[in-house]
Amino acid sequence: MTVDQMNQLSTSQDGGPEILPLGRDGWLVRFALTPEPWAMAAVQKLHALGSASALSGVTRVAPSLTSVLFSYDPDGTDRVVLRAQIARLLEGEDWHHATPEPATRVWQVPVSFGGDHGPDLAEVAVTTGLSPEQVIGEIVQTPLRVLAIGFAPGQPYLGLLPDAFDLPRMTSLNPQVPQGAIALAVRQLVLFANASPTGWRQVARTAFRVFRPESDTPLPLCAGDEMRLVPVSGTEMDGLLASGDPTGGAKLELRS
């Protein structure tokens, strides 16, 4: 099959998801060009379906914010047959009203908001029109999902927060936030794997390390995991950071 034929085959005719060739070893299912809430929910649902389907030849199913990548062994896989199998996964779903599958892994992660651990909390409060306490309350009451992992090894994008937190990035770059910083923008949170510059506002910090190269499980989080942020004091967080324990006091609950 030629590239032109594959592009014709992959173009959506009804505004639904597109199945696009990505190199010689991938099919990309794209729901939207921008991170719309419905598209993020659709990605979560398709990622769960694709992971559970055990498609022949597929070596990895990886979500981003608006698309899902099906990587496969190009030497032992018929790409046209695989595309048809992916298309069947997409059939019969109203993707614009998709509901993610319930999380089977739920993390309880201690975090400290405001102060030295969340220097931009007050600015977020002013921008949203909420008090700092209301900002914290909204965040901790939201059952966050790991929408995607990227930018740095193990680094999760978490969401979605309520509409009030649809905030743009800062107009100037924060030269560095520390490892474990939790920063906010566009209804999402990022938990930083390493110290990094960012245009997102740091509202909290955790001692939970999302990249552990010394461990048998270097990436503890998986796309689709649920995360609940549990507030602790700044002093408690200082102690968790000083302990050197990479779990940072986090607990994982497995649900059937």
Side-chain angles (χ1 to χ4, degrees):
M1 179 174 286
T2 68
V3 172
D4 286 342
Q5 287 172 322
M6 283 192 295
N7 285 338
Q8 286 181 344
L9 184 66
S10 303
T11 301
S12 171
Q13 301 298 319
D14 59 1
E18 298 174 286
I19 307 176
L20 304 168
L22 189 64
R24 66 185 293 266
D25 63 353
W27 284 110
L28 186 75
V29 178
R30 185 172 69 189
F31 289 96
L33 294 175
T34 57
E36 304 291 339
W38 71 266
M40 295 186 195
V43 163
Q44 293 289 300
K45 185 173 183 67
L46 180 60
H47 174 248
L49 289 174
S51 299
S53 297
L55 299 176
S56 177
V58 170
T59 57
R60 182 174 64 132
V61 182
S64 72
L65 294 181
T66 60
S67 60
V68 179
L69 173 64
F70 291 81
S71 298
Y72 58 87
D73 174 7
D75 296 323
T77 306
D78 185 320
R79 64 186 285 114
V80 176
V81 171
L82 176 57
R83 186 207 179 276
Q85 292 174 336
I86 295 170
R88 282 195 289 273
L89 285 180
L90 296 169
E91 291 175 354
E93 294 283 351
D94 181 0
W95 292 103
H96 282 265
H97 297 90
T99 301
E101 300 295 322
T104 58
R105 291 161 38 104
V106 181
W107 295 89
Q108 304 283 342
V109 179
V111 300
S112 177
F113 287 91
D116 292 339
H117 297 312
D120 300 319
L121 176 64
E123 181 181 347
V124 169
V126 170
T127 306
T128 58
L130 303 172
S131 69
E133 293 75 20
Q134 288 173 318
V135 169
I136 295 169
E138 292 280 0
I139 292 173
V140 301
Q141 290 168 26
T142 299
L144 301 165
R145 296 292 286 267
V146 177
L147 301 173
I149 294 175
F151 182 77
Q155 183 160 297
Y157 289 76
L158 306 167
L160 283 173
L161 292 169
D163 289 338
F165 297 98
D166 191 12
L167 305 179
R169 293 165 179 81
M170 297 186 296
T171 55
S172 60
L173 194 67
N174 186 334
Q176 183 165 285
V177 296
Q179 181 186 73
I182 297 176
L184 185 155
V186 291
R187 294 185 62 188
Q188 298 169 64
L189 297 170
V190 168
L191 197 171
F192 280 84
N194 301 295
S196 175
T198 183
W200 294 39
R201 293 169 177 83
Q202 183 184 346
V203 295
R205 190 179 183 190
T206 180
F208 178 71
R209 284 171 47 199
V210 295
F211 179 48
R212 308 171 191 175
E214 74 288 347
S215 170
D216 292 336
T217 308
L219 307 180
L221 297 177
C222 298
D225 284 0
E226 183 177 313
M227 185 178 291
R228 297 278 186 160
L229 304 185
V230 181
V232 299
S233 70
T235 300
E236 289 175 284
M237 183 52 57
D238 290 339
L240 289 169
L241 290 166
S243 74
D245 181 356
T247 69
K251 297 178 181 179
L252 174 61
E253 175 188 353
L254 300 179
R255 296 177 179 173
S256 58

